[in-house]
Amino acid sequence: MIERAVKERKVTLLLALVLILFGLYAYVSMPKQENPDTSSPAAQIIFIYPGATAEEVETTITKKVEDAAATLEGVETLLTYSNPNSSVAVITLDYSVDYQAQWQALRESLDDLQNELPDQVMPYTLKTNLTDYAGMILSFSGDGLSYEALNDIAETYKSAIETVDGVGRIEIDGLPEKKVFVTVNSKKIAGTPLTSRDIFEWIAAQGASIPTGTIDTDEGRIGVKMPSGYDSVEELKDLVVYTSETGAALRLSDVANVEMRYETGEPRYTHDGAPAILLTAYFEANKNVITVGMDIQDALNALGEKYGEGLNVTPVLFQPDEVQSATRSFTMNLIQGVVFVIGVVLIGMGLRNALVVSTTIPLAIAVTIGAMYLMGIQIHQISIAALIIALGMLVDNAIVVSDAIQVRLAQGEERFSASVLGAKESAIPVLTSTLTTLAAFAPLMTLPGEAGEFAKSLPQVVMIALTASYLAAMLVIPALASLLFKSGAEKNPKKNRLRHAFQTALEWSLKHRMTVYIVLAVVIAATAWLATKLEINLFPYADKDIFYVDIKADSPTETDGLVASVESIIGEFPEVIQVDTAIGTGFPKFYLTVGITPPSEDVAQIICKVEPSETGNMDILADKLQTAFDSRLTGGSATARLIEINQPGAAIEVRVSGEDREKIQEVSQAVYLFLKERDGTVNVSSDAPSEIFQYAVEPDEDKVAGLGLTRYGIQYQTSLALEGMKAGEVSDGEDDLAIQLSQDIESIEDLMNVQVRSDYTGEKIAVRQFADVELSPSLDRIKRYNRQETVSITSDVRPGYTPNAVQSDLEAFLPTLDLSGVQIDYAGDQEVFDKYISGLMAAALFALAAVYLILLIQFNSFVQPLIILLTVPLSTVGSVLVLWLFRVNFTFATGLGIASLIGIVVNNAILLVEYINRERAEGNGVEEACLRSVDRRFRPIMLSTTTTVIGLLPLAWSNSSFFTPMALALMGGLMISTLLTLIVIPTVYASVHRKEL
């Protein structure tokens, strides 16, 4: 095939050009995202049980929901909360199951469960789109504009945006619900035969709308319409609710206060302190986000001209801009890497060789992008970073083939023969080195969980690129060489001082092998010790210009004041240029790893945008803010949070589980106090349940029966008085507003005086006549994790401290406690470390086994593959040393890079051992063969290493929290491994084959 490609080189080069053009087309057409979608399949189940305590909810609902969830396949975690009045369950599945089928099975189980629950339990809510996150969030605000006006404008924007191709669902939030509140005056109805229930039923009956029917006439069927509903609030106020025997009419306004106003406690939003309406757009999957964003921007610009000044339409989030910025930055890094690599090849090989070898780069990249297009791998930070990592390796095979051809030409062979034979001569060693690299990257596709899904495209893209580079080196490089290379020996070859230095060092090493082995053992041992000193931060924060603040008030009445205090503190930091606030809820999911804050009157969330120049200091800014929050806030707490790249959550989390609630409380409190008092910890919290008090109204069964009452009637009428119910609708001229009826209950005495009507006697009876009341304790929440009652204690760490150091101290502290009856589990960084580092180690071991097997087949030897694999610990020496020197944390990406080195660094050793074997086959002694191998393979080894390292420079300079540590680990491992390989591998080879000297 090689000979055919050279002979038909015009066809070969034309096909290469076609592939490059297809790659360009694919790049333009492919979907572009910021990051891979690693959303875990998760579902949330909510049951509402009015009036039930947390303990009653746990027994009646939660445990049964757990039983239903346990029947699903692939359940990874099951987290449940039993609250007063509600049960919440969150189920997470792993990636190995068909989660759509599991959700359908769950719906069927919940339908069956609903029929078994008490009638008072409301129909369940099941959400299976918890992981959808917004592509765009717009805030609408303006001086003098009401909520309704802002909402109408947002609706106009929604109509324009939803026509854009690629936009999925659009939601508008923040418009408080306007209702007509009817509050019955207890004193005024006390002297009448009426109860709140009577008024409620009368309003509902008078406002009912029932289809009247039709009458057949000679002209056809004509409908009959009767008055229905309420056309105004005044009409409702004038509603006659009772007529006395004397004919006097008692109107609604005589016994109740009727007013139209916004519902209190509803979620609402502000932009820089002004009331705002939020528009959230979700993009369709597999779309080019940048193109979608351009079309949206055109629509926004057109609408902006329509409304002019006075209206503020501000992006809280606009993902297309972020994707464009990220992909542009990484694409520039890729272009810089290409330029650097070509420059190195040009310096190391001369103009003609550089032109030929460098052709591999655009061809391999184009083929890779084309393959990504066909395989559905999107353009995002990970896939572009993979191209940058592969960049330097793309020319490795071409360098070897080109060098082999050049040697033959220097020996006087004609161009066609030299090109064909040089490529054939290099085919097996180049194939082996390519296969070993592929074998090293392949296991990385099997890493577990979200991080494995997040990084999966990296090994995929590298493997595609290396395969493309091998085919280019075997087919295109010989064709080009036969066209451009010149025959004849090199003129005045320059003596390479560095090559001579390595040969001299190898000669010394061969004579002092024991000294070399002792030094090598010391170096590896020192590296192992140094590795324990590296700080671990598996998933650093994303390089974003936003952070967010989660707020929790001690009570709903303190939420607004707490939010105002937090906004005031944030305003003292000039780095913050935009503040958007959600009160009574959180923002829609605005990033892949940010959780959803359920609506509650005691919560709030703030998104802060900072000057882009300050993104490198986000952790310091967040720490300063947190210190201010902790020292100055009262009435609740606020937590400054940065955007996580992956695996969101606290750095440290300890779960205390068991069956003995008191023991769980005792141990969890001790852990909480230990972390709270330790230097370096921040945001220490415990979700241990608190004891709350509630009034327990206990009806006397004998009295209830004697008065003709029922439990349902009592509960229905007292709930109506306290919480209120919808009695119908009234028009305000534009919309139909709900009529919410309740009674003016402000104390337990008022509740005991509420009069309920007997369903049997029709008499009004005060609650105090048949019931007693007492204050009883109850829990505010019961949390269960994987079907065990659990308390979680969480903590973050301040800059300059590491989670593993705090974790180590905690692990030393726990044995001092009495842990009988409880189970301790670690989440946070420790859980992630155990899960993903074990996954990386398993991948590395599998890669080593695969590489050994490939080498065994090539060299037909058990020992020589082991010699070659010595390069792996040699590369680790370089990686650890560079990380330590530059004070870089060990991250998941760093581990990914070190694991990737297995297939990269063995290539140099393969070239050395293959040439040594060839020299020995020609009759040369072992030492002579070793020396000649370094002389002969020095240039391709140094060039391939240099190109790979230089290709990684833009990634190392990118100052990326995720990619920079990985690039440094790769560069350090490659450089040190190459330098040591040229000395150690021949020395060990000579020692193993010493009997053949």
Side-chain angles (χ1 to χ4, degrees), residues 13-226:
L13 298 179
L14 179 61
L15 288 174
L17 179 61
V18 169
L19 290 173
I20 290 174
L21 293 176
F22 177 71
L24 290 173
Y25 165 78
Y27 180 80
V28 173
S29 305
M30 286 172 65
K32 295 176 179 65
Q33 304 285 345
E34 183 178 9
N35 288 311
D37 184 4
T38 60
S39 50
S40 301
Q44 181 186 69
I45 308 162
I46 300 177
F47 279 92
I48 303 298
Y49 188 6
T53 65
E55 292 91 336
E56 290 171 339
V57 168
E58 179 189 36
T59 303
T60 307
I61 302 174
T62 304
K63 289 185 177 181
K64 295 178 180 179
V65 170
E66 291 177 348
D67 292 339
T71 63
L72 302 179
E73 296 178 11
V75 176
E76 198 167 76
T77 60
L78 174 56
L79 186 62
T80 60
Y81 297 95
S82 299
N83 310 302
N85 307 316
S86 69
S87 169
V88 180
V90 179
I91 306 169
T92 304
L93 305 180
D94 62 36
Y95 288 96
S96 63
V97 299
D98 179 356
Y99 56 88
Q100 294 295 350
Q102 298 308 308
W103 297 151
Q104 182 57 38
L106 178 62
R107 287 187 184 90
E108 294 171 1
S109 297
L110 293 176
D111 288 340
D112 294 338
L113 174 60
Q114 183 81 59
N115 297 327
E116 301 173 5
L117 298 177
D119 293 338
Q120 293 87 350
V121 178
M122 299 172 66
Y124 70 86
T125 301
L126 175 63
K127 293 183 179 180
T128 58
N129 61 346
L130 297 183
T131 52
D132 289 354
Y133 64 101
M136 178 185 71
I137 302 176
L138 297 180
S139 168
F140 293 82
S141 60
D143 295 335
L145 294 174
S146 65
Y147 277 115
E148 286 82 7
L150 291 171
N151 191 76
D152 290 343
I153 294 171
E155 288 286 354
T156 303
Y157 273 71
K158 176 183 177 181
S159 298
I161 294 171
E162 63 188 0
T163 62
V164 173
D165 182 39
V167 174
R169 74 179 193 274
I170 300 177
E171 298 174 353
I172 296 177
D173 300 297
L175 177 65
E177 185 178 5
K178 187 180 287 186
K179 294 182 178 180
V180 175
F181 290 88
V182 177
T183 307
V184 177
N185 188 302
S186 300
K187 293 181 179 178
K188 289 182 178 180
I189 65 168
T192 72
L194 300 174
T195 66
S196 293
R197 176 181 178 179
D198 298 327
I199 297 174
F200 174 84
E201 292 175 349
W202 187 249
I203 292 175
Q206 292 294 94
S209 178
I210 301 174
T212 308
T214 59
I215 296 176
D216 291 327
T217 68
D218 294 339
E219 298 179 358
R221 182 171 293 181
I222 299 176
V224 177
K225 181 180 178 182
M226 297 289 288

Side-chain angles (χ1 to χ4, degrees), residues 910-974:
I910 290 172
L911 292 177
L912 284 175
V913 172
E914 184 271 336
Y915 197 84
I916 294 172
N917 289 341
R918 189 189 305 177
E919 287 291 315
R920 288 178 61 207
E922 293 178 0
N924 293 317
V926 174
E927 289 193 2
E928 177 65 19
C930 291
L931 290 169
R932 287 176 66 86
S933 71
V934 171
D935 178 65
R936 177 65 187 81
R937 293 302 195 190
F938 181 81
R939 184 168 73 165
I941 286 175
M942 292 304 293
L943 267 178
S944 61
T945 298
T946 305
T947 54
T948 304
V949 171
I950 290 295
L952 288 167
L953 272 179
L955 212 56
W957 290 341
S958 67
N959 199 30
S960 165
S961 59
F962 189 81
F963 295 110
T964 296
M966 179 173 65
L968 290 173
L970 280 165
M971 293 167 69
L974 276 169

Side-chain angles (χ1 to χ4, degrees), residues 510 513 517 859-868 870 909 912-921 924-930 984-997:
L510 290 171
R513 297 175 198 171
Y517 298 151
F859 292 101
N860 194 26
S861 167
F862 289 106
V863 177
Q864 289 185 3
L866 295 176
I867 297 173
I868 292 171
L870 275 176
L912 284 175
V913 172
E914 184 271 336
Y915 197 84
I916 294 172
N917 289 341
R918 189 189 305 177
E919 287 291 315
R920 288 178 61 207
N924 293 317
V926 174
E927 289 193 2
E928 177 65 19
C930 291
V984 173
I985 296 302
T987 302
V988 175
Y989 187 103
S991 297
V992 171
H993 297 86
R994 61 184 179 277
K995 294 181 180 179
E996 304 170 35
L997 296 177

Side-chain angles (χ1 to χ4, degrees), residues 529-730:
W529 175 81
L530 205 60
T532 63
K533 303 301 178 183
L534 295 177
E535 296 183 359
I536 299 174
N537 183 19
L538 283 188
F539 292 101
Y541 297 115
D543 303 314
K544 293 285 183 183
D545 60 356
I546 63 171
F547 67 91
Y548 63 105
V549 180
D550 284 333
I551 299 172
K552 180 71 166 66
D554 290 339
S555 71
T557 58
E558 297 182 271
T559 304
D560 287 339
L562 185 61
V563 168
S565 298
V566 172
E567 289 179 336
S568 176
I569 293 172
I570 293 173
E572 298 171 8
F573 291 80
E575 304 97 317
V576 180
I577 59 176
Q578 180 179 320
V579 176
D580 292 278
T581 306
I583 304 170
T585 186
F587 283 91
K589 190 177 179 71
F590 55 90
Y591 194 72
L592 185 66
T593 58
V594 175
I596 297 174
T597 302
S600 179
E601 292 185 49
D602 58 354
V603 303
Q605 191 175 67
I606 299 177
I607 295 178
C608 302
K609 187 169 291 188
V610 303
E611 290 281 0
S613 59
E614 296 293 329
T615 54
N617 303 314
M618 292 288 278
D619 56 341
I620 298 173
L621 174 61
D623 184 58
K624 289 180 180 178
L625 275 166
Q626 193 61 57
T627 300
F629 293 157
D630 293 344
S631 61
R632 294 165 56 182
L633 292 180
T634 58
S637 62
T639 305
R641 300 189 186 279
L642 302 182
I643 302 293
E644 305 266 6
I645 287 180
N646 209 283
Q647 295 296 312
I652 299 166
E653 180 177 353
V654 184
R655 289 192 292 259
V656 184
S657 306
E659 300 298 329
D660 187 336
R661 184 171 294 162
E662 291 185 3
K663 192 67 176 179
I664 294 173
Q665 292 279 76
E666 176 188 329
V667 174
S668 62
Q669 180 67 10
V671 172
Y672 171 79
L673 293 175
F674 174 83
L675 292 174
K676 189 75 174 176
E677 296 167 1
R678 195 188 184 286
D679 292 337
T681 57
V682 64
N683 300 332
V684 181
S685 64
S686 170
D687 60 8
S690 300
E691 197 171 68
I692 59 175
F693 288 88
Q694 63 179 14
Y695 290 109
V697 178
E698 297 292 343
D700 184 304
E701 296 296 337
D702 293 334
K703 291 181 179 179
V704 166
L707 293 170
L709 297 170
T710 63
R711 277 186 170 271
Y712 175 79
I714 295 170
Q715 188 177 38
Y716 170 73
Q717 295 181 75
T718 53
S719 177
L720 173 64
L722 277 171
E723 299 296 327
M725 295 181 186
K726 180 180 176 180
E729 293 182 343
V730 61

